[in-house]
Amino acid sequence: LFTAILPLTINSIYIMCNDASTVHILMCYSVVLVFFAPFVYLHGVMAQCNQRNILQYTKAAYLCCLVLVTVLYVRLANLYYFDLELSYRETTGFMTTLSTRIQQTEGYTMDKPVYFHGLYPHASNRNIWELRPVNQMHGTIDVDNVINSPLMRQNFFKVYLGQAFYEITDNNLITGLQDTIAQMPSYPDDGSIQIFDDIIVIKLSD
C-alpha cells in the first residue's frame, strides 16, 4: 500500500497548481516520504530474516533500490540548493556592480532618470558540469532575466540593494539621443554608462 500511494503523494503538488510548468523540485515537499520508505521495508526484512525464500531476497533488493534512489535524490536536492544560492549571489554581485557604476558616473544625482538601451546578451556563468542536471529547473534568478526585465530590475534595485532608480520607459524621450547611443560601447565596457541631457543612459547592447 505504501509503495502504491507513494507516486500519488509525491506528485500531489500538481493537483494544487494550475500551471505544471511552474512546479519545481523545492515545491515537492511530500517527496520526503522517500526517506521513510527504506525504514518501512527494512523493518519488513528484519521481521523475516530467518526465512530464506524468494520474497525475502526480493524485499532486500527492493530496499537497496530505495536506498539508491534516496541517495540520488539527496544529491539532486543539494545540487539544486547550491545552484539556487549561486544564482542569487551571481545576480546580486552583478546588480551591485551596475548600481555602483551608475552612481559613480560623473554628474550623477539621485533625481536623474535612467534609461536602459537594448538587452543584456550574456547568460549565466553557472553552466559548469556539476550543475548541468539542475540547470533547467525553476526557482533560480539569473542575471539576464533580471537585467532585461524592467519590473524585475526595478524591484531588485529597490528591494535587494536599497537603491531605487526612476527608469524611463517612453522611447520618445530619448529619440534625439539614438545616434549618440549607437556610438557607445555595450556594458560592461568603459563608456557604456553616460549622462546626456540629464538622462543616465546604460547601453546593454545595440
Side-chain angles (χ1 to χ4, degrees):
L1 178 61
F2 186 88
T3 305
I5 66 173
L6 186 60
L8 177 62
T9 55
I10 290 177
N11 294 287
S12 59
I13 183 65
Y14 290 99
I15 302 175
M16 299 177 284
C17 187
N18 293 328
D19 184 4
S21 65
T22 62
V23 175
H24 56 76
I25 195 170
L26 297 185
M27 295 171 63
C28 299
Y29 301 112
S30 55
V31 83
V32 296
L33 291 174
V34 173
F35 298 104
F36 292 99
F39 296 101
V40 174
Y41 288 99
L42 180 60
H43 181 271
V45 171
M46 294 177 62
Q48 302 181 30
C49 61
N50 59 340
Q51 301 177 13
R52 302 295 181 180
N53 52 37
I54 297 178
L55 181 61
Q56 176 74 24
Y57 293 111
T58 302
K59 286 187 176 182
Y62 190 56
L63 174 61
C64 292
C65 291
L66 285 174
V67 171
L68 177 61
V69 170
T70 300
V71 172
L72 292 176
Y73 177 78
V74 169
R75 179 178 180 275
L76 179 64
N78 286 338
L79 284 176
Y80 187 84
Y81 276 110
F82 181 52
D83 188 45
L84 189 66
E85 177 67 17
L86 280 182
S87 73
Y88 276 87
R89 287 180 178 270
E90 181 185 31
T91 304
T92 300
F94 179 90
M95 299 299 284
T96 300
T97 300
L98 176 58
S99 175
T100 301
R101 289 189 59 179
I102 292 174
Q103 295 176 63
Q104 289 179 340
T105 303
E106 185 177 355
Y108 167 83
T109 57
M110 291 184 61
D111 60 328
K112 283 185 172 65
V114 175
Y115 170 70
F116 287 88
H117 181 83
L119 299 175
Y120 190 68
H122 305 295
S124 167
N125 296 319
R126 302 189 321 280
N127 190 25
I128 56 178
W129 71 269
E130 294 94 339
L131 297 178
R132 285 175 186 170
V134 296
N135 275 345
Q136 301 303 319
M137 291 185 178
H138 298 277
T140 56
I141 178 170
D142 293 314
V143 168
D144 52 335
N145 292 333
V146 173
I147 192 61
N148 291 331
S149 168
L151 179 60
M152 290 185 69
R153 65 181 174 229
Q154 282 281 358
N155 288 337
F156 205 96
F157 279 131
K158 183 177 181 179
V159 178
Y160 282 82
L161 304 182
Q163 177 64 50
F165 294 108
Y166 169 66
E167 186 172 335
I168 292 178
T169 56
D170 186 1
N171 291 337
N172 293 326
L173 298 177
I174 48 90
T175 302
L177 299 175
Q178 292 296 342
D179 292 339
T180 303
I181 295 175
Q183 303 301 318
M184 293 172 59
S186 298
Y187 187 84
D189 293 351
D190 185 36
S192 57
I193 303 177
Q194 299 185 39
I195 298 177
F196 303 109
D197 298 336
D198 286 335
I199 299 176
I200 304 172
V201 177
I202 300 100
K203 183 178 179 181
L204 301 176
S205 69
D206 292 323

